[in-house]
Amino acid sequence: MANVSIRDVRKSFGATPVIRGVDVDIQDGEFVILVGPSGCGKSTLLRMIAGLEDITSGDIRIGSRVVNDVPPKDRDIAMVFQSYALYPHMTVAENMAFSLRLKGTSKEEQKRRVQEAAASLGLTPLLDRYPRQLSGGQRQRVAMGRAIVRDPQVFLFDEPLSNLDAKLRVSMRGEIKELHQRLKTTTVYVTHDQIEAMTMADKIVVMHDGVVEQVGAPLDLYDRPANRFVAGFIGSPAMNFIEGRLEENGLALRSGAILPLDMRPAVPIATMLTYGIRPEHLQIAPAGTPETIPATVSVIEPTGSDTTLIVKAEGGNLTVLLRERCALKYGEEIALKPVPFQAHLFDEAGRRIASS
Amino acid sequence: MTDWLSPEEWAAVRLSLKVALTAMAASLVPGILVAFLLERGRFWGRQALDVLVHLPLVLPPVVVGYVLLLGFGRRGPIGSVLAEQFGIVFAFRWTGAALACAIMGFPLLVRAVRLSIETVDRKLEDAAGTLGANPAWVFLVVTLPLIMPGIIAGMVLSFAKAMGEFGATITFVSNIPGETQTLPTAIYTLTQVPGGEAGALRLTLASIVISVGALLASEWLARRARRRFFA
Ligand SMILES: Nc1ncnc2c1ncn2[C@@H]1O[C@H](COP(=O)(O)OP(=O)(O)OP(=O)(O)O)[C@@H](O)[C@H]1O
Ligand SMILES: [Mg+2]
């Protein structure tokens, strides 16, 4: 096992910069998830760790060794691809034994290790099949099995679950996590699904446009997003943002309402601020209640366990997540009351404002 | 069995097979190599190589044969060097016929292989790298099996082209019975002499049998190669 350290890494394809100075430290045995919107450079960064993409500048270390110029085969990693990349001309067993065959491991040893990995993934009855004879979920497992058999220093996963249906995705999420707890191999996992990131990671790296926006434990990112991008990206349904001007008695909104602030932000009066509040931190109050946000009900989506409400307010849409069922009707005038001590404030550049 | 054709006719059939198989075998490795260069390579002059390889497809065969005669003839710049240094002579030999056929079939072989390389998922090769394979292994164990159907198709095209090649062959190495007289040139000769119709017909039948056989053999090989992937 090994730690991975990424130091001021940059990558350009031709003249287009794609990774624009990334620093990440991954501890030995840690499960780190790279998350971010499509095209932000997650796969590119992962492929640079794997050695499949060369590094324009900066350093990547695996263990104590700088691997910038080390070819993929010598990096002691195993990568699982979104498309699984199984060999169509090899059986499941042959696919899984691929790395051992290259190392010249004896046939008996190959068989033993493949069977061991197959048993742990429930693949034993499928060993003689070809990939085309497997379901998507089974292929996914074979791809993981092939990586496990290699017994690498670092596992690299590039969106391994995005081709699976929702239910299978949830169960595979659990299995991968369990696998990691058993093997304790350093893992870098790419996804654009923030729920996957929240539920699986020891540490999340949020990327955007080729830079790291924030690194932290899942709940830290949720509770204390460093900027508006992270605040909006982590959490589902996404955080609501409302623009307002700082006044003595709170935040003056477009609608004329004044929202009280829990703490006085350390910025001058009359500064324009963004007020961020998660959907579960808004409560319904009768229209006209003081210190609330006036709103009109626009969409009601009951899921059974909870209700998602979309309301028109402050010149846009806000989302409210209610745990209890509600008797609201389309078009009804209501007021939204933020739960105290749950709001986030961001300055005009989108940075979190520390409370004073 | 053997009296089905006259000895001269048998000689033409044997020679045609020898020339076609030699042409196919000799162009196989260079063909795969060039297909890779054209498909994957990023080098100066790639476009020029592409045009050069495809020239035999668009030029009149007689022109190709004449260019070969100029270049590889006994006094040609390449032919004279090969003859003096290595004792290899192409002019008016069956080897010259094989060379002409190989060059005429080369673009067909390259195109078929290239198409199959294009369909190879690069992630399969990437994965092999991360699993510890060096580039040679990746090629042998992953890429080559995946492009096998394309290689087989290319070989058949090259063989078929060689079996039918006429213009370049007759221009470069002439029409010498027993040395450079292949099936097409033999049939042509028979149609030019009085009373040759029966022989021409027999050779035509032989040609059809060989072509159908080649087609069936390739179908069988391709099916075997493909069955493991798709089916
Ligand atoms: N080989 C390449 N040549 C040129 N540009 C590339 C290449 N590979 C990726 N890019 C560009 O780099 C950027 C980042 O791509 P990357 O695949 O890393 O995104 P991603 O974060 O993995 O997105 P997704 O979630 O859609 O997979 C994209 O804008 C993409 O167009
Ligand atoms: Mg990607």
Side-chain angles (χ1 to χ4, degrees):
Chain A
M1 278 186 272
N3 60 323
V4 176
S5 125
I6 299 168
R7 281 277 160 271
D8 194 27
V9 160
R10 288 163 198 273
K11 170 79 186 178
S12 302
F13 287 108
T16 322
V18 168
I19 301 289
R20 302 183 296 155
V22 164
D23 289 274
V24 181
D25 271 303
I26 297 162
Q27 304 307 317
D28 189 3
E30 211 169 20
F31 196 113
V32 171
I33 290 193
L34 304 180
V35 67
S38 187
C40 70
K42 308 177 295 286
S43 296
T44 304
L45 186 59
L46 197 73
R47 290 171 60 82
M48 286 160 86
I49 300 174
L52 298 171
E53 216 66 82
D54 46 56
I55 299 168
T56 306
S57 74
D59 278 335
I60 295 182
R61 271 167 217 273
I62 297 178
S64 54
R65 179 168 68 136
V66 176
V67 294
N68 291 19
D69 300 318
V70 177
K73 72 179 177 71
D74 298 323
R75 293 198 184 192
D76 206 359
I77 44 135
M79 184 154 167
V80 176
F81 294 81
Q82 179 178 351
S83 55
Y84 314 137
L86 299 178
Y87 299 117
H89 55 297
M90 296 181 197
T91 63
V92 168
E94 286 165 349
N95 264 284
M96 287 174 69
F98 191 87
S99 61
L100 299 178
R101 191 171 140 209
L102 291 170
K103 268 190 251 172
T105 313
S106 74
K107 279 266 183 285
E108 300 81 69
E109 175 72 1
Q110 284 187 25
K111 196 163 177 207
R112 194 185 63 72
R113 296 209 4 216
V114 166
Q115 276 175 348
E116 188 183 300
S120 77
L121 290 163
L123 290 172
T124 310
L126 308 176
L127 283 174
D128 292 327
R129 295 213 195 158
Y130 284 94
R132 68 186 139 81
Q133 301 165 319
L134 302 177
S135 72
Q138 290 165 339
R139 284 179 208 184
Q140 209 284 328
R141 274 167 219 264
V142 176
M144 291 209 324
R146 188 171 66 180
I148 292 169
V149 169
R150 167 136 164 90
D151 188 23
Q153 302 250 23
V154 183
F155 279 130
L156 304 174
F157 290 90
D158 193 356
E159 307 209 22
L161 305 185
S162 37
N163 288 351
L164 303 180
D165 66 43
K167 201 169 160 193
L168 200 52
R169 199 147 59 211
V170 173
S171 75
M172 284 310 295
R173 224 152 66 190
E175 278 192 45
I176 292 180
K177 194 72 195 131
E178 201 182 293
L179 183 81
H180 177 254
Q181 264 144 20
R182 186 156 49 83
L183 301 175
K184 301 216 167 28
T185 305
T186 311
T187 301
V188 188
Y189 185 111
V190 164
T191 179
H192 61 252
D193 178 348
Q194 51 93 21
I195 299 192
E196 246 168 64
M198 291 297 288
T199 53
M200 296 172 76
D202 293 327
K203 188 158 91 186
I204 296 179
V205 177
V206 183
M207 290 181 64
H208 180 215
D209 255 351
V211 297
V212 171
E213 295 281 352
Q214 191 174 1
V215 179
L219 292 180
D220 283 348
L221 297 192
Y222 192 83
D223 293 339
R224 298 183 57 78
N227 53 50
R228 199 180 147 158
F229 176 80
V230 176
F233 190 78
I234 298 287
S236 173
M239 186 185 281
N240 297 299
F241 295 108
I242 305 165
E243 309 300 326
R245 195 178 65 249
L246 186 65
E247 302 287 353
E248 282 296 345
N249 51 350
L251 197 68
L253 307 185
R254 283 167 65 143
S255 60
I258 301 273
L259 272 187
L261 298 177
D262 308 314
M263 278 178 243
R264 173 70 213 276
V267 292
I269 292 296
T271 308
M272 292 304 293
L273 297 177
T274 301
Y275 180 92
I277 184 90
R278 296 207 179 271
E280 66 269 32
H281 296 143
L282 284 172
Q283 294 169 332
I284 309 288
T289 310
E291 303 191 329
T292 58
I293 308 159
T296 310
V297 177
S298 156
V299 179
I300 307 168
E301 294 176 336
T303 67
S305 61
D306 46 29
T307 306
T308 307
L309 211 62
I310 296 173
V311 301
K312 296 220 173 297
E314 299 300 324
N317 287 331
L318 298 183
T319 312
V320 183
L321 189 67
L322 301 171
R323 294 297 166 208
E324 65 281 6
R325 306 216 168 160
C326 69
L328 296 171
K329 286 187 302 290
Y330 170 79
E332 200 171 329
E333 301 285 332
I334 56 169
L336 303 176
K337 188 173 172 52
V339 175
F341 299 104
Q342 296 296 348
H344 308 260
L345 286 177
F346 304 98
D347 65 16
E348 269 180 305
R351 287 180 301 251
R352 178 185 195 84
I353 297 176
S355 316
S356 64
Chain B
M1 172 71 198
T2 42
D3 51 12
W4 189 63
L5 295 173
S6 74
E8 294 78 33
E9 288 160 5
W10 268 115
V13 169
R14 268 201 308 275
L15 185 72
S16 251
L17 283 173
K18 183 161 86 171
V19 164
L21 288 172
T22 307
M24 180 184 86
S27 47
L28 187 57
V29 172
I32 294 173
L33 201 78
V34 168
F36 263 93
L37 278 178
L38 290 179
E39 187 56 38
R40 298 270 177 92
R42 292 285 162 268
F43 55 95
W44 189 89
R46 203 186 68 114
Q47 207 74 49
L49 180 65
D50 200 7
V51 169
L52 185 70
V53 164
H54 281 92
L55 268 185
L57 206 58
V58 291
L59 284 178
V62 175
V63 171
V64 175
Y66 191 62
V67 169
L68 284 175
L69 189 60
L70 292 179
F72 288 86
R74 261 186 217 285
R75 274 190 290 274
I78 306 172
S80 57
V81 172
L82 285 176
E84 278 162 34
Q85 303 291 323
F86 307 100
I88 302 172
V89 176
F90 286 110
F92 306 108
R93 298 278 174 83
W94 76 269
T95 48
L99 178 66
C101 290
I103 284 174
M104 291 303 291
F106 200 66
L108 301 173
L109 173 68
V110 169
R111 282 178 83 88
V113 176
R114 208 176 146 178
L115 281 176
S116 68
I117 296 171
E118 201 185 326
T119 64
V120 171
D121 180 0
R122 298 297 291 267
K123 297 243 161 48
L124 294 177
E125 296 169 319
D126 287 348
T130 66
L131 290 165
N134 64 29
W137 260 104
V138 176
F139 177 76
L140 281 179
V141 180
V142 176
T143 317
L144 197 58
L146 291 175
I147 63 172
M148 204 41 98
I151 293 177
I152 293 167
M155 283 165 65
V156 172
L157 288 172
S158 165
F159 179 81
K161 181 77 196 169
M163 287 299 295
E165 219 302 309
F166 183 84
T169 312
I170 205 166
T171 313
F172 181 30
V173 293
S174 183
N175 185 9
I176 307 161
E179 184 63 39
T180 65
Q181 191 176 69
T182 57
L183 267 176
T185 48
I187 293 172
Y188 173 76
T189 308
L190 285 169
T191 59
Q192 299 302 301
V193 296
E197 288 84 3
L201 193 61
R202 285 197 295 273
L203 284 184
T204 301
L205 283 174
S207 177
I208 292 172
V209 168
I210 291 169
S211 302
V212 170
L215 212 54
L216 291 178
S218 81
E219 275 296 313
W220 182 77
L221 278 173
R223 197 141 9 102
R224 261 180 60 116
R226 236 190 323 255
R227 194 158 44 204
R228 305 193 69 172
F229 304 173
F230 315 109

